[in-house]
């Protein structure tokens, strides 16, 4: 426990992380700093504030973290110096000092694929995320994502539907799950032998600056990152860039050329990401974890995303690909008469156009 208390203290050092500590200390183990006198710490270039914290650790805060871990058998705090710290995550340029965990920590050592994308995802984007997550989970991969609304949520759901493994990486502390709408999903992940982790202490709120830091963990844990749907300026593209910098595979699902929610994926493909239309495209780049590639394909039994009640505009029921009237009726939960009336209004407004088989959107927003 003393070893963990030391790691917790190191994490609290201002303006220092694993990378800077190792650079400052060269071959010396950071955990041994607590055996040095203040003058010796000064020789290593530590500031007065850092020396004060190392000399007199904030015991109350450390005790709170240790009590948090002890309060539930599924809670764990893993430090960079522990043997069960994920090996791939150690390879990135700025690995987290700590991982606060809730669930099956054994998944951290399993081969993972990250699936990320838009929070305001389209129906086809959600469908693709859930289907690909289901297929990858069936093939033996753990699905890692950020528990955000949209693509992240459907990626986790796809893994759960396959009775597979999934890890959710938070941009907040584990006691402040965000978004609140996904508390039920988080519970289902843990109850299904999955895992929720964060580098942030349990009581840390979901500040905006936390999420780019979260993204480096999502990509750092994974063999590759699959971007299902993302706009040109998107946090998912940050995750993809981090993956490339970490020497991970980057995959992207294409969409309609006039769909702004697919523009980020098209940009990634233009920059060299592999275009993905199905499981086989991913397995060509990564080893299938079953004995035969055919086994992966034959074992897949996928159920599509169920339609849910729309809370956005009627226009959200219509894709940038052909959407049938039957699909629009199901998605909007409106009568056929009301649907037809609204379609006329949208077409007159120039937002959709009638084509063989249904309608397509022709503009990104109203």
């Amino acid at each position: 426990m003393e070893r963990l208390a030391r790691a917790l203290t190191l994490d609290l050092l201002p303006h220092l992380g694993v990378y800077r500590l190792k650079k400052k200390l060269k071959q010396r183990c950071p955990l041994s700093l607590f055996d040095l006198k203040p003058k010796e710490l000064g020789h290593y270039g530590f500031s007065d504030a850092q020396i004060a914290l190392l000399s007199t650790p904030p015991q109350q805060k450390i005790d709170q973290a240790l009590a948090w871990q002890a309060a539930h058998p599924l809670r764990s705090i893993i430090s960079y110096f522990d043997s069960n710290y994920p090996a791939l995550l150690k390879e990135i340029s700025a690995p987290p000092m700590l991982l606060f965990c809730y669930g099956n920590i054994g998944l951290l050592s399993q081969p993972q694929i990250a699936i990320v994308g838009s929070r305001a995802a389209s129906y086809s984007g959600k469908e693709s995320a859930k289907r690909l997550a289901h297929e990858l989970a069936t093939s033996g991969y753990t699905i890692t994502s950020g528990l955000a609304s949209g693509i992240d949520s459907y990626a986790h759901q796809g893994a759960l539907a396959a009775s597979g493994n999934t890890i959710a990486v938070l941009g907040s502390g584990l006691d402040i799950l965000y978004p609140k709408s996904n508390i039920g999903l988080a519970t289902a992940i843990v109850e299904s032998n999955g895992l929720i982790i964060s580098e942030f202490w349990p009581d840390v709120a979901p500040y905006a600056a936390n999420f780019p830091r979260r993204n480096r963990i999502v990509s750092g844990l994974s063999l590759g990152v699959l971007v299902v749907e993302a706009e040109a300026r998107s946090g998912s593209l940050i995750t993809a860039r981090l993956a490339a910098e970490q020497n991970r595979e980057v995959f992207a699902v294409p969409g309609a050329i006039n769909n702004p929610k697919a523009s980020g994926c098209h940009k990634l493909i233009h920059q060299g990401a592999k275009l993905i239309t199905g499981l086989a495209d991913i397995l060509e780049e990564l080893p299938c974890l079953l004995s035969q590639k055919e086994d992966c394909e034959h074992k897949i039994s996928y159920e599509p995303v169920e339609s849910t009640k729309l809370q956005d505009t009627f226009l959200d029921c219509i894709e940038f690909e052909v959407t049938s009237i039957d699909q629009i009726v199901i998605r909007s939960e409106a009568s056929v008469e009301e649907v037809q009336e609204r379609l006329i209004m949208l077409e007159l407004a120039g937002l959709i156009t009638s084509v063989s088989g249904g309608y397509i959107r022709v503009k990104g927003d109203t």
Side-chain angles (χ1 to χ4, degrees):
M1 196 60 78
E2 181 185 355
R3 179 185 177 90
L4 177 55
R6 290 187 173 196
L8 287 162
T9 304
L10 289 175
D11 191 60
L12 294 171
L13 285 174
H15 312 299
L16 277 179
V18 172
Y19 173 77
R20 289 182 178 177
L21 267 175
K22 291 177 69 176
K23 187 176 181 180
K24 186 185 287 287
L25 299 176
K26 296 183 170 59
Q27 299 302 316
R28 189 181 190 101
C29 175
L31 293 176
S32 69
L33 290 174
F34 298 89
D35 301 323
L36 301 180
K37 293 181 173 25
K39 187 175 181 180
E40 293 174 300
L41 291 170
H43 290 321
Y44 281 102
F46 289 99
S47 68
D48 290 343
Q50 292 165 347
I51 291 173
L53 192 143
L54 288 167
S55 302
T56 310
Q59 197 59 49
Q60 183 177 1
K61 188 170 180 64
I62 291 168
D63 288 343
Q64 286 174 346
L66 297 176
W68 176 88
Q69 176 180 241
H72 197 286
L74 290 179
R75 289 180 179 177
S76 306
I77 304 174
I78 299 174
S79 84
Y80 178 85
F81 312 103
D82 294 336
S83 59
N84 57 352
Y85 189 93
L88 277 180
L89 196 57
K90 272 195 173 183
E91 296 178 0
I92 71 174
S93 60
M97 179 76 70
L98 301 171
L99 292 174
F100 292 85
C101 307
Y102 182 42
N104 178 15
I105 59 174
L107 296 184
L108 291 171
S109 62
Q110 297 300 308
Q112 300 167 44
I113 300 294
I115 299 180
V116 298
S118 173
R119 286 178 171 83
S122 68
Y123 280 96
S124 59
K126 293 173 183 177
E127 180 81 17
S128 294
K130 190 171 185 181
R131 174 176 58 83
L132 289 166
H134 189 287
E135 294 175 353
L136 284 164
T138 302
S139 301
Y141 290 100
T142 294
I143 303 302
T144 299
S145 197
L147 200 71
S149 302
I151 296 301
D152 288 19
S153 296
Y154 280 82
H156 292 304
Q157 290 175 31
L160 294 177
S163 298
N165 298 320
T166 187
I167 298 174
V169 186
L170 302 189
S172 62
L174 295 187
D175 285 349
I176 308 180
L177 282 171
Y178 177 84
K180 290 184 179 180
S181 58
N182 273 347
I183 289 177
L185 176 57
T187 301
I189 288 172
V190 174
E191 290 178 348
S192 301
N193 205 36
L195 177 64
I196 301 174
I197 66 171
S198 177
E199 71 174 311
F200 303 107
W201 290 52
D203 60 350
V204 172
Y207 299 112
N210 293 356
F211 293 95
R213 292 178 59 183
R214 182 272 310 271
N215 293 347
R216 86 188 193 289
I217 298 176
V218 171
S219 57
L221 285 169
S222 306
L223 296 169
V225 172
L226 171 60
V227 184
V228 174
E229 195 172 64
E231 297 188 8
R233 296 176 62 86
S234 165
S236 300
L237 267 63
I238 295 175
T239 309
R241 174 179 59 78
L242 291 168
E245 292 174 356
Q246 295 163 354
N247 199 32
R248 308 295 196 255
E249 299 287 347
V250 179
F251 308 104
V253 176
I257 59 173
N258 60 335
N259 180 359
K261 293 179 181 178
S263 58
C265 292
H266 297 155
K267 180 179 180 180
L268 289 174
I269 293 168
H270 181 72
Q271 293 173 343
K274 177 157 185 177
L275 186 154
I276 300 300
T277 59
L279 176 65
D281 298 322
I282 301 174
L283 298 185
E284 285 178 1
E285 303 297 327
L286 299 171
C288 182
L289 302 183
L290 301 181
S291 58
Q292 297 289 333
K293 183 174 179 179
E294 291 77 12
D295 292 339
C296 298
E297 296 165 350
H298 291 161
K299 288 186 70 174
I300 293 167
S301 175
Y302 171 67
E303 294 182 5
V305 176
E306 293 182 3
S307 297
T308 56
K309 186 172 179 65
L310 282 177
Q311 296 183 0
D312 267 324
T313 65
F314 193 85
L315 185 61
D316 288 336
C317 301
I318 304 166
E319 303 287 352
F320 288 88
E321 298 91 12
V322 179
T323 311
S324 70
I325 291 181
D326 287 344
Q327 288 176 307
I328 299 169
V329 169
I330 292 171
R331 293 171 181 178
S332 66
E333 296 186 351
S335 66
V336 175
E337 293 77 14
E338 184 182 353
V339 166
Q340 291 175 334
E341 180 181 343
R342 296 298 296 275
L343 289 173
I344 293 171
M345 293 171 62
L346 290 172
E347 191 166 13
L348 289 173
L351 298 174
I352 64 172
T353 186
S354 175
V355 296
S356 176
Y359 292 82
I360 61 172
R361 287 176 67 169
V362 294
K363 289 187 179 180
D365 52 40
T366 56

